[in-house]
Amino acid sequence: MMNEADQVERSQRLVASNALSRYITVSVLAVLAYVPALLSSPGRIPADTKLYLYTDPGGLLERAASTFEPDQFAGWVPHQQITYLWPSGPWFWLFDALAVPDWIAHRLWIGTILFAAGMGVRQCAQLLGHSAGPVLAAAAVYQLSPSLLPYISRTSLLLLPWAGLGWIVAATIRASRCGPQADSWINRWREPALIALIVATVGSANATALAMIVPAPAIWLVLVAARRTLLLGDVVRLASRVAVACVAVSLWWMSMLIVQSRFGAPVLLYSETLEDVSRNSTGSEVLRGLGYWLFYGRDAFSATTTSSLTYLSKTSGIIVSFVLPIAGLVGISFGRSNHRRFAAALTFVGMMLAVGVHPLGDSSPLVRLLTSNDGTGLELALRSSTRALPVMTLGLALGVAALVERFPIGAPRPHFLSRFTWQRLAAGTVLIVALSNLPSLWRAQLVDPAIDRDIDLPAAWIDAAAFLDGGPNDTRVLQLPGAEFGAFDWGYTVDQPLVSATERNLVTRDLLPLGSAAAMDLLYAFDDRVQTGVLEPTSIAPISRLLAVGTIWLANDADSLRFRTPSTGEI
């Protein structure tokens, strides 16, 4: 029998041990997020999300809420530009105002996304009753998922729903445990309001990416109702409060989507086909966190995602990528957790949604119930189905936590391992495998060399842009030749640099005809003649007048090989 003093001492040691474990978990996740990001290609910037976040964040913020912009495409209704109002626009504007180099601002941005993703799952796993080792394992599996690779250097903004999912599920769990006994309207609305604030932060980038993570908290509520932890009426009222709050804080970007869909270019019809984007979302690829179509392509210059080569052509990389998913499935089946059913449902639903319509023309019966047969319905809007991967990855991460929980908490026999428990050793093994499955992280290669550039635009561009600003501002600049994206000898920009470098409005051919139909038809027909070498010199002046062009810009440093465009000399 322990006396009262011994019990107090033991309790204090337990509290101190738990605090230390929490500190270690948070520290490990922070180091894994920020250190590799800051060590990746110092001084270089990838073509991530939007060029103007780095070259002119203040100007982008000013234009973000506009429903019509004259700066490109001979005037256009912007597509998803309002998302830069929050959080990415203020983030880069603040670092620009503090004179922090763009590359550091970018690395802190992607590091924060990674850290937020891991911390959200950490909180979720803790609420589900897991101890320190399994919590670290779950957070690491999620934070180090290879599903982030196609986005981290190209469209990191689309990772925000992935980063916010754990937080949303954790808040949903807390809200369901408050139940009808919440003694005031403040307590009843606290967690729904928190979920709404998270949605306001992560949801504006892409409606599809947001919609694809909704099943995760919905599954929890369904299971709560099935177990009768809450009455069905209470679950419905909770879900209604969450829905009302989320819609209220999303009206600012939802309204712009409505404007763009009614008056803007039909982007879905002009962009990638359903066949192209669903070709690689096979069950096996989805299971290992891959399947996104940009992970598998290449242009004349390089692979679209350089890091994909490890997962597609190296036997060791392929084998390692299946280890943690299999461990997650084993944990769901045989692990120690009261919530394995939740993990199983997340994994099943997430995988079904991520596979989507693959194989096109012979998709699963369940998916066929949700889609039409003409390729223009819901399946077209949700064509990037792998954005449901966070739901599946969360389920597998919780499965891994359940598997680690199965290991005993006693110490191994060898003396040099006496400070460790079997459970901590299992968690450490999971962490090592997760790191092995993401070579880009421990090699500090989170910036894709195929799509990077120097921090600043070349001096020649700055001087030429200043010359343009010195002239009349009532005409446009026509850039020839057109190209799918901005690619130059000095780097890859995706967006056209002139938009932020000069006050003059730009018109040039791009991948998508985002301006008015008449203007785009004229521009594309003119650019076709330029690129095929059959341009009639006498047509330049009248076409320029129709497009309100006062200056023609020929970039001598355009990378003509990348998109097979004619060189300036040929023009």
Side-chain angles (χ1 to χ4, degrees), residues 85-100:
L85 283 177
W86 179 258
S88 58
W91 176 282
F92 287 99
W93 174 85
L94 176 62
F95 281 98
D96 184 66
L98 296 174
V100 175

Side-chain angles (χ1 to χ4, degrees), residues 2 46 50 54 83 169 228 266 298 311 317 363 370 454 459 523:
M2 288 190 300
K50 201 72 174 174
Y54 314 100
T83 186
V169 172
R228 299 193 176 182
R298 64 177 300 115
Y311 302 86
S363 52
L370 302 175
D454 290 329
L523 175 63

Side-chain angles (χ1 to χ4, degrees), residues 78 113 166 206 384 392 405:
I113 291 175
N206 187 276
S384 294
M392 185 200 74
E405 200 79 65

Side-chain angles (χ1 to χ4, degrees), residues 282-563:
T282 64
S284 59
E285 290 299 277
V286 165
L287 181 64
R288 59 191 188 131
L290 307 176
Y292 184 46
W293 66 277
L294 273 177
F295 197 69
Y296 303 87
R298 64 177 300 115
D299 55 30
F301 182 79
S302 65
T304 307
T305 305
T306 303
S307 56
S308 66
L309 301 177
T310 299
Y311 302 86
L312 301 180
S313 60
K314 293 186 65 174
T315 303
S316 59
I318 294 172
I319 292 174
V320 170
S321 67
F322 281 105
V323 172
L324 289 178
I326 292 173
L329 294 175
V330 172
I332 289 172
S333 302
F334 306 106
R336 179 179 294 167
S337 172
N338 293 328
H339 301 284
R340 286 186 294 146
R341 187 177 300 177
F342 178 50
L346 288 173
T347 303
F348 172 76
V349 173
M351 188 169 187
M352 182 198 69
L353 291 174
V355 171
V357 298
H358 180 88
L360 192 62
D362 191 25
S363 52
S364 68
L366 193 55
V367 170
R368 286 201 296 270
L369 287 175
L370 302 175
T371 57
S372 61
N373 295 320
D374 58 3
T376 60
L378 180 63
E379 69 271 25
L380 184 59
L382 303 180
R383 66 195 191 282
S384 294
S385 59
T386 50
R387 288 172 189 163
L389 279 172
V391 177
M392 185 200 74
T393 307
L394 177 59
L396 292 174
L398 294 177
V400 170
L403 181 61
V404 174
E405 200 79 65
R406 176 63 69 181
F407 285 79
I409 58 175
R413 287 187 179 276
H415 178 72
F416 68 93
L417 293 177
S418 60
R419 292 190 177 184
F420 300 95
T421 65
W422 285 111
Q423 201 171 93
R424 289 175 180 173
L425 289 174
T429 301
V430 168
L431 181 60
I432 291 171
V433 175
L435 282 168
S436 301
N437 192 34
L438 198 64
S440 296
L441 189 86
W442 49 269
R443 292 174 180 168
Q445 294 175 347
L446 293 178
V447 174
D448 196 325
I451 54 173
D452 71 345
R453 62 173 177 86
D454 290 329
I455 297 178
D456 300 316
L457 298 180
W461 276 71
I462 301 299
D463 294 341
F467 175 80
L468 290 176
D469 289 340
N473 199 29
D474 55 352
T475 59
R476 298 187 176 103
V477 177
L478 172 62
Q479 181 174 312
L480 295 175
E484 295 179 20
F485 300 106
F488 306 90
D489 295 338
W490 44 268
Y492 191 76
T493 63
V494 177
D495 302 299
Q496 296 299 334
L498 271 183
V499 173
S500 61
T502 178
E503 297 295 325
R504 299 275 294 276
N505 295 324
L506 175 70
V507 56
T508 188
R509 181 177 186 165
D510 210 318
L511 176 66
L512 304 179
L514 297 180
S516 67
M520 293 298 96
D521 285 344
L522 178 61
L523 175 63
Y524 276 52
F526 182 73
D527 189 73
D528 281 342
R529 290 181 173 271
V530 172
Q531 300 213 24
T532 55
V534 296
L535 176 66
E536 299 173 3
T538 56
S539 68
I540 296 177
I543 296 297
S544 298
R545 285 194 293 270
L546 287 172
L547 294 173
V549 168
T551 305
I552 295 179
W553 175 285
L554 298 178
N556 290 324
D557 51 4
D559 186 353
S560 58
L561 295 178
R562 188 146 197 168
F563 299 114

Side-chain angles (χ1 to χ4, degrees), residues 38-231:
L38 288 168
L39 292 178
S40 296
S41 303
R44 302 287 290 178
I45 287 286
D48 183 12
T49 304
K50 201 72 174 174
L51 172 67
Y52 319 128
L53 280 172
Y54 314 100
T55 59
D56 185 24
L60 183 60
L61 273 174
E62 290 178 3
R63 300 191 300 270
S66 174
T67 57
F68 180 82
E69 280 297 311
D71 59 347
Q72 296 183 77
F73 307 109
W76 68 308
V77 177
H79 177 63
Q80 294 181 334
Q81 185 169 274
I82 196 170
T83 186
Y84 302 115
L85 283 177
W86 179 258
S88 58
W91 176 282
F92 287 99
W93 174 85
L94 176 62
F95 281 98
D96 184 66
L98 296 174
V100 175
D102 291 341
W103 76 271
I104 294 180
H106 174 263
R107 303 307 189 273
L108 292 176
W109 166 260
I110 63 175
T112 300
I113 291 175
L114 294 176
F115 185 54
M119 289 293 290
V121 173
R122 166 186 172 270
Q123 186 176 80
C124 184
Q126 285 178 331
L127 288 171
L128 294 178
H130 288 294
S131 52
V135 165
L136 175 59
V141 168
Y142 191 86
Q143 180 174 318
L144 305 182
S145 170
S147 61
L148 63 88
L149 292 174
Y151 302 98
I152 196 74
S153 279
R154 188 181 301 271
T155 49
S156 63
L157 203 60
L158 293 180
L159 289 174
L160 290 181
W162 168 74
L165 178 58
W167 297 97
I168 292 173
V169 172
T172 305
I173 294 172
R174 287 196 302 269
S176 68
R177 290 174 177 173
C178 289
Q181 68 268 24
D183 55 1
S184 69
W185 69 269
I186 294 179
N187 291 333
R188 288 193 296 271
W189 278 93
R190 182 174 56 235
E191 300 302 335
L194 176 60
I195 293 172
L197 291 176
I198 298 170
V199 168
T201 300
V202 308
S204 65
N206 187 276
T208 300
L210 177 63
M212 285 295 194
I213 67 170
V214 170
I219 288 171
W220 175 262
L221 293 180
V222 169
L223 292 177
V224 165
R227 290 194 300 262
R228 299 193 176 182
T229 308
L230 280 181
L231 296 177

Side-chain angles (χ1 to χ4, degrees), residues 5 29 252 271 437:
L29 296 179
W252 61 282
S271 52
N437 192 34

